[in-house]
Amino acid sequence: MAGTDLPVSPLALPLPALPAIAGLRLGTIEAGIRYKGRADLTMLEFAPGTTVAGVFTQNKCPGAPVEWCRAVLPGGTARALVVNAGNANVFTGRAGREATRATAEAAAALVGCRAEEVFLASTGVIGETLPHAKLTAALPALHAGLAPDRWPEAARGIMTTDTFPKAAVRTARIGETAVTIAGIAKGSGMIAPDMATMLSFVATDAAIPAPALQALLAAGTARSFNCVTVDSDTSTSDTLLLFATGQARHPAVPAEGGEILADVARALDAVLMDLALMVARDGEGAQKLIEITVTGAVSDASAHRIAMAIANSPLVKTAIAGEDANWGRIVMAVGKAGEPADRDRLSVAVGGTWMAREGGVVPGYDETPVVAHMKGREVEITVDIGLGEGRARVWTCDLTHGYIDINGSYRS
Amino acid sequence: MAGTDLPVSPLALPLPALPAIAGLRLGTIEAGIRYKGRADLTMLEFAPGTTVAGVFTQNKCPGAPVEWCRAVLPGGTARALVVNAGNANVFTGRAGREATRATAEAAAALVGCRAEEVFLASTGVIGETLPHAKLTAALPALHAGLAPDRWPEAARGIMTTDTFPKAAVRTARIGETAVTIAGIAKGSGMIAPDMATMLSFVATDAAIPAPALQALLAAGTARSFNCVTVDSDTSTSDTLLLFATGQARHPAVPAEGGEILADVARALDAVLMDLALMVARDGEGAQKLIEITVTGAVSDASAHRIAMAIANSPLVKTAIAGEDANWGRIVMAVGKAGEPADRDRLSVAVGGTWMAREGGVVPGYDETPVVAHMKGREVEITVDIGLGEGRARVWTCDLTHGYIDINGSYRS
């Protein structure tokens, strides 16, 4: 079983202290789905009245749990979340759909809610039938052991090839009332579909109507998870869910949200950004975290596409792995993005040192500070397109032998 | 200097015998641009009246030689081609443009033609000024030694990180007259911009007006070079030129071409396909050649985009390197292509064995023949989308430690 034996990423961050969220109990258990000797089934139970928002993979071949969540999300309320690791329940046909319904019904019976208030996520191998009888058999003991303080167990219980557990927390104010936002994520890439799909679950004790919650989540995702890539492969299972238990006592939030949520939006963005960057830090084989800033594009969307073309270029990523500030490859990636660009206005900086300006190498360019920067764990690339005001920032990791090792031998 | 020390690709093919093309003399010389102890400057001289067609990189930051060729191509005639290896003359600003003009003028003086009848290509490192004085100094001796039988030297003279020289030849009939089409290529990827850009040069003794020649080349390229990918990175220097010396005695070909060129089109397609597949066979680090066929898409264009999404997926390519018939990753790649697809109609075969049919694993699927197929040097993947009649076929290679080795340390 690959994954659990991998060395911890050199870019790992410690797990922060995670406070209890009023209205939330959680826990894990070993259901024996695929892994041995570790918890692989995670459950969160929410107080009545909890609202929910979600965003999901854009892959056209999504897993059965993604389809289940999409179908029940319009209800806007959640009472439970059940997550298994080791089997993605993707490309499993009718058996996959039956597995999601059976799991949701079993959890609903324990919680005392409708099956449509149970959210599901699965991560692991594609194309193998999910042995849902193992899940439903393990659920009663799992449910009996739920407690408010088991965030660390949950962060570990959803891991597959992740090398460290990922969590983030912030506080915010609604009116004069403090609320807490805490979340966990897994993923060693947004991607890596048969083992390391990106999952993230965030909870707050705030009372936020589902439409406002969905708007907050969509905006925050665009700035965080949608700006991270490991290898350009979009998972069939990516799922990000945000739950609001409504236990905090603060002024009522209208359905459309608005200014009253400004501080919550700031804190949520910070939580999502923390989690997204941890995914990049745990990118398969990652030795360096790469931040790519593009300015001067014709629009923000154009800047984003250029930044992602750089972030997904195998040649850029291998050059950084080799600590080679190869700006020629960055120019290539800008050019292949298909966005407006003019070679003779293009400038490239690494670690704040401008190497190329307006179409050519900077006269008298001294490589010394750039070479020193490239030896570090965090590499910054800035590209100015020189055409407009469009800006974007994205993150990725380098492409190393570790990626080949992990992905050339995962399943067997 | 990386590249020349690389072991020969296990997928290499022997260099075929290449006949002289009436109206063409060629040769190579050591100009000392970057490599030591090998020819790095190649010249082809064409008889008066030679027509020319060309296709070039779609990268928005093309090299100076690409811009030169694009500017002079509308003239439709060619008397010489000069190619250097080791320096791509890309992102070199005014100095790069001056280098192309100086080289073209020096070659034109030797041949006795206009500079605008000289075509240029450069391949190698990006962003370093091309020392064109070394080229122009070497040209007289190079020109003096041109001969009709030096195809093998030319095939080697244009190499950078290529591990074997690449050439192909076919004959065709125009009316009752036999004509010959011969060509060479370099590339270890279409891509890998600072070292292994794809270049290909093809010549025929047929007399074909430039518009008809361009139409032949565009159609053939769409079916060959544009269906090959190594790592999704589009070079700044990709150049494919087709020269027709007009020395063969056959019925006149009209400017618009037409049925009289049917057999030439067939033979040219075969030459281009041979050369394109040799590039995939020499993909950086390649251990296996992968052929991907997509059927049942809503259109041929949609099938092509799906096939390229599979061919460019790092997860598919590393799985094949690991000899793992991981069809879950193929499904993922279909889904991420953004093209119409319905998971429940999708079927996947490897080596002719259907593993998944209409959304799920084939009942009683026996992995034995697939495992055997995966151990070979050539891997065939077939995906049926189940929606329409669109078809496409593309080629790539696997993603191995060799790719990381080559690209993590090339420049330094």
Side-chain angles (χ1 to χ4, degrees):
Chain A
M1 185 61 47
T4 49
D5 300 333
L6 295 171
V8 173
S9 166
L11 307 170
L13 296 177
L15 194 67
L18 289 160
I21 299 288
L24 166 63
R25 301 188 308 142
L26 67 175
T28 62
I29 200 166
E30 182 176 342
I33 296 160
R34 181 177 174 90
Y35 303 112
K36 302 296 173 198
R38 56 155 278 192
D40 57 0
L41 188 63
T42 302
M43 184 172 182
L44 281 70
E45 185 185 15
F46 306 101
T50 294
T51 55
V52 59
V55 293
F56 305 97
T57 180
Q58 295 301 305
N59 194 296
K60 295 289 180 71
C61 298
V66 168
E67 292 195 324
W68 173 270
C69 287
R70 279 208 177 101
V72 302
L73 185 65
T77 61
R79 292 297 311 283
L81 167 70
V82 178
V83 187
N84 74 272
N87 182 314
N89 193 12
V90 171
F91 213 64
T92 46
R94 175 187 300 271
R97 289 188 284 273
E98 289 171 356
T100 55
R101 174 153 292 279
T103 306
E105 287 176 350
L110 290 165
V111 171
C113 67
R114 294 179 298 114
E116 288 73 20
E117 294 177 295
V118 177
F119 286 75
L120 302 171
S122 298
T123 170
V125 174
I126 289 179
E128 295 183 6
T129 302
L130 178 66
H132 62 86
K134 289 185 180 176
L135 270 71
T136 51
L139 276 176
L142 171 56
H143 182 254
L146 298 181
D149 60 353
R150 305 224 166 129
W151 278 114
E153 291 88 335
R156 289 189 180 88
I158 63 174
M159 288 167 57
T160 54
T161 55
D162 301 63
T163 74
F164 65 93
K166 302 169 183 68
V169 61
R170 289 290 190 289
T171 56
R173 289 197 169 270
I174 299 179
E176 298 300 308
T177 309
V179 299
T180 303
I181 303 172
I184 57 177
K186 65 143 315 231
S188 205
M190 284 175 55
I191 31 197
D194 61 2
M195 56 193 183
T197 49
M198 197 288 293
L199 300 180
S200 182
F201 311 107
V202 180
T204 176
D205 54 346
I208 303 178
L213 202 63
Q214 186 69 35
L216 284 178
L217 186 62
T221 304
R223 288 185 285 262
S224 57
F225 283 107
N226 287 355
C227 292
V228 174
T229 179
V230 168
D231 57 7
S232 81
D233 277 342
T234 305
S235 159
T236 49
S237 301
D238 291 344
T239 297
L240 168 58
L241 293 169
L242 169 61
F243 304 94
T245 65
Q247 302 297 298
R249 295 285 156 251
H250 54 70
V253 173
E256 70 277 15
E259 186 55 30
I260 191 171
L261 290 179
D263 197 48
V264 169
R266 174 201 57 73
L268 176 64
D269 283 6
V271 167
L272 296 178
M273 186 63 79
D274 276 6
L275 294 172
L277 287 183
M278 283 183 217
V279 170
R281 285 177 173 273
D282 207 7
E284 289 166 342
Q287 294 293 312
K288 293 176 191 289
L289 179 69
I290 307 169
E291 178 180 280
I292 299 162
T293 305
V294 172
T295 60
V298 295
S299 68
D300 288 352
S302 179
H304 181 77
R305 284 189 286 267
I306 292 169
M308 289 300 266
I310 299 169
N312 281 325
S313 162
L315 290 171
V316 171
K317 292 155 79 88
T318 49
I320 291 171
E323 302 185 344
D324 177 11
N326 193 320
W327 55 270
R329 296 184 184 179
I330 298 169
V331 171
M332 173 283 302
V334 171
K336 82 165 188 172
E339 292 297 311
D342 177 343
R343 183 194 55 204
D344 295 339
R345 291 177 177 222
L346 205 59
S347 302
V348 178
V350 169
T353 302
W354 291 95
M355 311 168 72
R357 277 270 194 210
E358 297 181 353
V361 67
V362 171
Y365 162 59
D366 172 14
E367 203 170 35
T368 310
V370 173
V371 168
H373 179 77
M374 296 295 294
K375 291 188 188 302
R377 286 291 181 195
E378 301 186 8
V379 173
E380 294 175 12
I381 295 172
T382 306
V383 175
D384 188 76
I385 307 298
L387 293 180
E389 300 296 321
R391 300 177 62 91
R393 182 168 287 170
V394 308
W395 293 266
T396 188
C397 58
D398 54 346
L399 175 56
T400 70
H401 286 296
Y403 184 87
I404 308 284
D405 283 335
I406 295 166
N407 289 302
S409 63
Y410 171 70
R411 212 190 50 163
S412 49
Chain B
M1 185 60 48
T4 47
D5 301 332
L6 296 171
V8 173
S9 166
L11 306 171
L13 296 177
L15 195 67
L18 289 160
I21 300 288
L24 166 63
R25 301 187 308 142
L26 67 175
T28 62
I29 201 165
E30 183 176 342
I33 296 160
R34 181 176 173 91
Y35 301 112
K36 301 296 173 199
R38 57 156 277 192
D40 57 359
L41 189 63
T42 301
M43 183 172 183
L44 282 69
E45 186 186 16
F46 307 102
T50 294
T51 54
V52 59
V55 292
F56 305 97
T57 181
Q58 295 302 305
N59 194 295
K60 297 288 181 70
C61 299
V66 169
E67 292 194 324
W68 173 269
C69 287
R70 279 210 177 100
V72 302
L73 185 66
T77 61
R79 292 299 311 284
L81 167 70
V82 178
V83 187
N84 74 274
N87 183 314
N89 192 11
V90 171
F91 214 65
T92 46
R94 176 187 299 271
R97 289 188 285 274
E98 289 171 356
T100 56
R101 173 153 293 279
T103 306
E105 287 177 349
L110 291 164
V111 171
C113 67
R114 295 179 297 114
E116 288 73 19
E117 294 177 296
V118 177
F119 286 74
L120 302 172
S122 298
T123 170
V125 174
I126 289 179
E128 294 184 5
T129 302
L130 178 66
H132 63 83
K134 288 185 181 176
L135 270 71
T136 51
L139 276 176
L142 171 56
H143 183 253
L146 298 181
D149 60 353
R150 304 222 167 131
W151 279 113
E153 291 88 336
R156 288 190 182 87
I158 62 174
M159 289 167 56
T160 54
T161 55
D162 300 64
T163 73
F164 65 94
K166 303 168 183 69
V169 62
R170 289 289 191 289
T171 57
R173 290 195 168 271
I174 300 179
E176 298 300 308
T177 309
V179 300
T180 303
I181 303 172
I184 57 177
K186 66 144 313 235
S188 205
M190 286 174 55
I191 34 199
D194 60 4
M195 56 192 182
T197 49
M198 198 288 295
L199 300 180
S200 183
F201 311 108
V202 180
T204 176
D205 54 346
I208 303 178
L213 202 64
Q214 185 70 34
L216 284 178
L217 186 64
T221 304
R223 287 186 285 263
S224 57
F225 283 107
N226 287 356
C227 293
V228 174
T229 178
V230 169
D231 58 6
S232 82
D233 277 343
T234 305
S235 159
T236 49
S237 301
D238 291 343
T239 297
L240 169 58
L241 294 168
L242 169 62
F243 304 93
T245 64
Q247 302 297 298
R249 295 285 156 251
H250 54 70
V253 173
E256 69 277 16
E259 186 55 30
I260 192 171
L261 290 179
D263 198 47
V264 170
R266 175 201 56 76
L268 176 65
D269 282 6
V271 166
L272 296 178
M273 186 62 77
D274 276 5
L275 294 171
L277 287 183
M278 284 183 217
V279 170
R281 285 177 174 275
D282 207 7
E284 289 164 342
Q287 295 292 312
K288 294 176 190 288
L289 179 68
I290 308 169
E291 178 180 280
I292 298 162
T293 305
V294 172
T295 60
V298 296
S299 68
D300 289 352
S302 178
H304 181 78
R305 283 189 286 268
I306 292 169
M308 290 299 267
I310 300 169
N312 281 325
S313 161
L315 289 172
V316 171
K317 294 155 78 87
T318 49
I320 291 171
E323 302 185 344
D324 177 10
N326 193 322
W327 56 270
R329 295 184 184 177
I330 297 170
V331 170
M332 172 283 302
V334 171
K336 83 165 187 172
E339 292 297 312
D342 177 344
R343 183 194 56 202
D344 295 338
R345 291 177 177 221
L346 205 60
S347 302
V348 178
V350 168
T353 301
W354 291 95
M355 311 167 72
R357 277 272 193 209
E358 299 182 352
V361 68
V362 171
Y365 162 59
D366 172 13
E367 203 171 35
T368 310
V370 173
V371 168
H373 179 77
M374 296 296 294
K375 292 188 186 303
R377 285 291 181 196
E378 302 186 8
V379 173
E380 295 175 13
I381 296 172
T382 306
V383 175
D384 188 77
I385 307 298
L387 294 180
E389 300 297 320
R391 299 178 63 91
R393 182 167 287 170
V394 308
W395 294 267
T396 188
C397 57
D398 54 345
L399 175 56
T400 71
H401 286 295
Y403 184 87
I404 308 285
D405 284 334
I406 295 166
N407 289 303
S409 62
Y410 172 68
R411 212 188 51 162
S412 49

